[in-house]
Structures are given as structure tokens and as C-alpha cells.
Amino acid sequence: FLLLGFPSLHHQERLIAITFLASYLVILAGNLLIVFLILSERDLYRPMYFFLGNLSALEIFIATSVIPKAVGSLLLGSRVISYPACLTQCYFYFLLGCTEFVLLAVMSYDRYVAICYPLQYPVLMNSQLCLQLLLGSWTAGFLVTITPTILGARLPFCNANHIDHFFCDSVLLMKLACADTWVVDLVTCTVSSIVLFGSLAMTVVSYLYIINTILRLPSASSRHKAFSTCSSHLAIVILGYGSCIFMYVQPSSHYVSYNKAVALLNTVITPLMSPFIFSLRNQQMKDALKAGLKR
């Protein structure tokens, strides 16, 4: 059994638990609302919103993989988690995270086609291709996550059982192993780099073409309208990539305790902000919400 690290004072634990629980409820409500609107409003039956709905579902899954266990540990005073449960949490957290980064790259490609080839967009981004891209995102997430998980599960663990984090982070879990973990560290760093920098490269290239196309538009209003369709996605990209590159694309020896604060960006802050960023900055989402409220 392993122990998760939390502040030791009871009033701090209660405050953190309440904050986590309130954030989780907002994450559920906000992202479920986006999914519901996209499924119910015919005006949102477009590739952009198809991917957005799946992104919102991923945000729910990521938060669910971490926050309920953390809240339960704080409120019940039990910081114990079994090794199989810890390994399972590690696996799903990174599976969902990797899938989300690939999906963000797919969304950037969707925006590239929409802005650079607007007349061909309905043909190029057809429903079959959208489904294939979504399945490809999940497949990529599975493939890059399964190997480090299998290697980590085969490591022997001795007496140390304290993880200084609010969830089972693979880097800190590997530090408890009483064997040389350089192979696992190398594989984890390599696959993290491939997913993060590979999807980031696709996103950057897409946005370079997007920016070039936008700057060539004749009117300021056209440029503003085109950029507004990308700004929400770009904000989530910056939050997600920045925090994960900081945490995981580095040797494990450099992994320090303040990464707990950075981890909050992926597990709480980004899923919490995502519904507001996409709904408040998107006129079609606001129109769909108003139409739904009038029914």
C-alpha cells in the first residue's frame, strides 16, 4: 500500500477537499453542458464541435481519474492507496492526457483546413475522416502509454511507500522502486517527448499557415473573425503543453515537489477553465446556450 502526500493540518485538508470538490462539480457541469449542447443543437453538427465535445469528455475523464480519490483521502483521513489502484490511476491519467494532446493537434489541423481551405472544408473534413482522427487519437494515446506502464509494473518495490503528491504520479512512483529505473525513465521521457513535441509541432505548423492566411485577408473584421475561431483552442494549447513539458520532459532527478502546483493546471485548472474559454469566446456556443435556455 502507498501513502499520498497532503498537508497534515486538519483544517487545511478540509479546505483543500472542499476546493477540490467544488472545482470537480464545476468541471462536470461545464463540460457536460458543452457535450449536451453539441449533441442537441443541429447548428453545432460540425467537425470543430465534434472534436470540442470529445475534448470536453476527456477533461471530465482526466479530472475524474484524480480528484475523487484526492477528495476522499482528505475527507476520510485515509491516504492509503493500493499499488494496483495506484498503477491503474497512473495508466488512465497518462492515457487520457496523451490522447488529449493528440486531439488538440487534430483540432489545430481542423482549424487549418477551415481557414486555409474554406471552400473545400466540408469535403476534406467529412464525418468519416473526423471519426478516423478521433480513433487515431485514442490509439496513439494507448500505444505510447502501455509500454512504460508494463515496464513500471515489473519493477520491485521495497519499504518506501510515500508519494509526495495528491495523486499517483508515475515519476514519483518510480522513485520508490528498489531497482535501477533508468530504462523506464528513458522510455517515459522518450514517449512523453514524442507525444508532446510531435503534437506540438503539428499544432505550430498548422498555426503558422493559419496566421499567414489570416494576415492576407483584406479586411480587419475578416481577420478578427478568423482569429477568434482559433483563440480558444490556442489558450488551451498553451496551458496544457506548457505545464506538461515542464513536468515530464525532463530527467526524473529534476522532478521536485513544486510540480504538485503545476500538476493542478492539468488536473483541475484546465478542465475547469475549458468550458468558459470555449463557451464565452464562441458566438455559436453562446447562441446554442441561449436557444437551449429558451426551450
Side-chain angles (χ1 to χ4, degrees):
F1 290 90
L2 304 170
L3 300 177
L4 297 175
F6 294 102
S8 59
L9 297 179
H10 291 297
H11 70 277
Q12 288 184 346
E13 291 182 355
R14 196 177 300 276
L15 179 60
I16 293 172
I18 293 173
T19 303
F20 269 30
L21 182 58
S23 300
Y24 182 60
L25 293 176
V26 174
I27 289 169
L28 287 179
N31 285 286
L32 283 174
L33 177 61
I34 286 182
V35 173
F36 173 76
L37 288 175
I38 291 172
L39 291 175
S40 61
E41 295 296 328
R42 288 194 170 274
D43 290 342
L44 302 182
Y45 285 8
R46 302 179 186 181
M48 173 183 174
Y49 298 105
F50 171 75
F51 294 125
L52 175 57
N54 282 279
L55 179 65
S56 294
L58 275 172
E59 299 285 24
I60 293 173
F61 296 152
I62 290 173
T64 301
S65 71
V66 173
I67 298 179
K69 174 59 182 174
V71 172
S73 298
L74 289 165
L75 292 179
L76 300 177
S78 173
R79 306 177 188 179
V80 176
I81 183 171
S82 68
Y83 176 66
C86 185
L87 197 64
T88 301
Q89 187 182 56
C90 279
Y91 173 73
F92 280 104
Y93 174 74
F94 284 101
L95 167 65
L96 296 168
C98 290
T99 302
E100 180 171 352
F101 282 120
V102 179
L103 184 60
L104 286 172
V106 168
M107 292 176 71
S108 70
Y109 174 74
D110 170 71
R111 292 297 83 207
Y112 156 73
V113 176
I115 292 175
C116 298
Y117 301 96
L119 298 180
Q120 299 170 271
Y121 179 70
V123 177
L124 294 175
M125 295 300 295
N126 55 67
S127 58
Q128 182 179 0
L129 179 61
C130 290
L131 184 58
Q132 290 173 346
L133 290 172
L134 178 63
L135 293 176
S137 299
W138 279 96
T139 303
F142 171 77
L143 292 177
V144 301
T145 308
I146 192 65
T147 301
T149 303
I150 293 174
L151 291 175
R154 298 175 64 183
L155 290 172
F157 290 85
C158 301
N159 295 324
N161 68 340
H162 184 268
I163 297 178
D164 187 20
H165 216 310
F166 59 88
F167 71 97
C168 284
D169 185 279
S170 63
V171 177
L172 295 178
L173 181 61
M174 291 304 101
K175 286 181 175 292
L176 302 182
C178 51
D180 192 350
T181 62
W182 74 271
V183 174
V184 182
D185 290 340
L186 178 62
V187 172
T188 302
C189 186
T190 300
V191 298
S192 298
S193 300
I194 291 173
V195 171
L196 286 171
F197 291 117
S199 57
L200 181 60
M202 181 177 175
T203 301
V204 169
V205 170
S206 297
Y207 272 101
L208 287 176
Y209 280 104
I210 289 171
I211 292 171
N212 181 58
T213 301
I214 290 175
L215 292 177
R216 290 159 54 187
L217 293 176
S219 65
S221 60
S222 298
R223 291 192 293 270
H224 175 75
K225 182 179 179 180
F227 184 75
S228 65
T229 65
C230 304
S231 57
S232 300
H233 174 259
L234 196 57
I236 298 299
V237 165
I238 292 172
L239 281 174
Y241 281 101
S243 57
C244 274
I245 289 173
F246 178 84
M247 288 192 297
Y248 297 112
V249 186
Q250 58 179 321
S252 62
S253 58
H254 296 162
Y255 198 92
V256 291
S257 60
Y258 57 74
N259 278 9
K260 284 189 287 186
V262 181
L264 287 172
L265 282 174
N266 298 95
T267 57
V268 180
I269 304 300
T270 301
L272 184 67
M273 294 178 61
S274 181
F276 298 101
I277 291 174
F278 281 109
S279 61
L280 295 178
R281 297 185 61 85
N282 187 296
Q283 187 60 46
Q284 287 179 306
M285 287 294 296
K286 289 189 285 188
D287 292 342
L289 180 59
K290 292 176 182 177
L293 292 174
K294 289 178 180 179
R295 293 176 183 173

